[in-house]
Amino acid sequence: MTMSRGERAEPDAQSTPVPPASTHSRGRTVIVVGGGPAGLLAARRLLRAGASVTVLEAAERTGGRVSRLELDGLALDAGAESFAVRDGDVERLLTELGLRDGIVAPLPSPAWVVGPTRAYPLPRAGWMGIPVHPFAPDVVEAIGILGALRVWWERLLPVADPGPDATAGEVFRHRLGRRATSRLVEPVVKGIYSRPLDELPFAALGPGTGAGMVRHGGLVALATARRAASPAGSAVRGLVGGVATLTEALAREVRSLGGVIRTGAAVESARRSDDGGWTVTVAGQAPLAAGEVVMAVPQAAVVRLLPDVDPAREPREPGQAVLVTLVLDAPELAGAPRGTGVLAVDGVTRAKALTHATAKWAWLAERARDRHIVRLSYDARAIRDLDRDGPVAQEGSLVRAALRDASRLLDVHLTPERLRASAVVAWPDSAPADGPVVEVGEGLSLVGSAAGLTGLAAIASEDFVLSHS
């Protein structure tokens, strides 16, 4: 993660040193590699099952993609700033952690789509960009009457589970037509998953999506059901104080249950030991031993850290998301001219999306007072030519490009003088993978992105298990 001027990291509280694993020899001992939400959740579940658990996190704080940064005196999310409400798993977890009263819905202003020649608000009633009411005025504005007719006709098509090999692009175009797919679905799905529709497995949209489409009788019917299951009409929620509050609470509970969390502990390898357990090597420290290892790191790291385990397949080149957060003095944004955010299409900007955070979250607008906070999302491949020498400073080319992109997407003129502070954060392996990259075995588990999962809703699912084959 790269931090620019104006940002201050908040390290974890000092954790106790990890004793040699031999002191845990009575009972189940587990080392969790990675202190993001998946690793912390795995540690919590293992501890509640009676295991002795140590979490090793290479960074100076836990949280991974659900951590926070401080910018211009404001505590902001450095990664995820909302969570999907599907199936209610995240809300159940938050309730268990005592955070239910902090759950908030985003403000009702719509997001927009901006292309080279036109800008339009996303339909209010939809899921994954799929319009629930095909002939609603905002749907017709976006895709025209012919596009609306094509979406309406989807309910007459025969329905079958597309299977594991179908791409999202194939399924959406077949069922909804090209206009709805390119103008509504693709901006939303690509903004979430950081992969083009034709590279994204349809199954990656969430467990049971294909079966749900069959059960409900089509994509529009599935979207209608998912929308109805979302109170107040929004498919996402946030937390007062930021979603990073969730991982901070998880870390506290892991410690309260007797787990040990070590930050600044960069794992170099995990190998099978002669006794059937594992030996984990940490940079600059004595090796650690455990009966089991849980990998909660990006897939490229899984392959690197398990040199004795053959990959099940060639790992896909990992994507990298780069988030640029800007704190602005811009009174003309007070009316939220482009709603809660913008999805960019057809190369209109290098940024693929923008969130107007102070127009999306009432609690943040109250704390920011007259300041406006916007966050732009980039695919690292789209900005390689801007910064060939590594981390981007506040005065660097990426921040200047972000100001230009924000001006274009919000339809206002934002000069450098309007910028109070900025931060640049890079997250590796940002897109969902195509399943596990190594075979799990006795004593080895994969969770979170290591297992090909993405998003809090997926890792908080009650179906989530620490799998051993």
Side-chain angles (χ1 to χ4, degrees), residues 136-438:
D138 53 2
V139 177
V140 175
E141 179 184 354
I143 63 176
I145 191 64
L146 293 179
L149 280 167
R150 179 63 178 81
V151 173
W152 175 87
W153 187 65
E154 190 260 350
R155 65 179 182 168
L156 304 178
L157 293 176
V159 185
D161 192 319
D165 297 328
T167 68
E170 291 169 345
V171 176
F172 283 122
R173 280 191 292 272
H174 170 67
R175 299 207 62 84
L176 302 175
R178 293 187 175 274
R179 286 193 182 190
T181 298
S182 63
R183 297 183 186 180
L184 299 179
V185 176
E186 187 167 18
V188 174
V189 175
K190 190 175 180 181
I192 295 172
Y193 292 99
S194 303
R195 291 175 69 179
L197 287 185
D198 290 321
E199 296 179 12
L200 181 70
F202 183 72
L205 299 179
T209 300
M213 181 178 70
V214 174
R215 183 172 64 254
H216 290 286
L219 278 176
V220 174
L222 173 61
T224 302
R226 292 287 175 91
R227 189 73 180 181
S230 303
S234 175
V236 300
R237 291 288 184 276
L239 277 176
V240 173
V243 176
T245 305
L246 166 59
T247 44
E248 291 164 353
L250 275 174
R252 287 194 299 271
E253 182 160 334
V254 166
R255 291 189 176 103
S256 72
L257 291 170
V260 176
I261 299 176
R262 289 181 67 175
T263 56
V267 173
E268 295 181 331
S269 67
R271 297 177 181 270
R272 292 276 189 187
S273 50
D274 293 340
D275 63 1
W278 291 84
T279 299
V280 178
T281 303
V282 182
Q285 301 175 24
L288 303 174
E292 303 173 31
V293 166
V294 176
M295 287 288 170
V297 292
Q299 294 205 336
V302 172
V303 174
R304 175 174 54 84
L305 297 178
L306 296 172
D308 300 333
V309 179
D310 293 331
R313 57 175 175 80
E314 285 295 322
R316 182 177 53 84
E317 180 183 357
Q320 185 180 57
V322 179
L323 304 179
V324 182
T325 302
L326 309 175
V327 181
L328 300 164
D329 283 323
E332 60 268 49
L333 294 180
R338 292 280 164 85
T340 57
V342 180
L343 298 167
V345 296
D346 298 331
V348 65
T349 60
R350 293 176 186 263
K352 64 180 182 179
L354 175 149
T355 298
H356 187 175
T358 39
K360 186 173 184 178
W361 305 111
W363 67 267
L364 184 55
E366 181 179 352
R367 295 183 186 184
R369 298 180 183 272
D370 295 329
R371 294 166 291 180
H372 289 271
I373 300 163
V374 300
R375 188 170 76 168
L376 295 98
S377 176
Y378 294 85
D379 185 313
R381 291 171 293 186
I383 56 174
R384 282 175 182 165
D385 62 318
L386 290 176
D387 179 50
R388 300 182 184 278
D389 300 320
V392 182
Q394 179 177 349
E395 294 81 15
S397 53
L398 179 52
V399 172
R400 291 195 297 272
L403 276 171
R404 293 193 297 271
D405 288 347
S407 297
R408 173 71 176 87
L409 296 175
L410 294 170
D411 196 27
V412 297
H413 184 52
L414 300 173
T415 63
E417 292 73 27
R418 302 288 192 92
L419 182 66
R420 294 176 61 103
S422 64
V424 177
V425 182
W427 297 114
D429 202 19
S430 58
D434 302 318
V437 74
V438 300

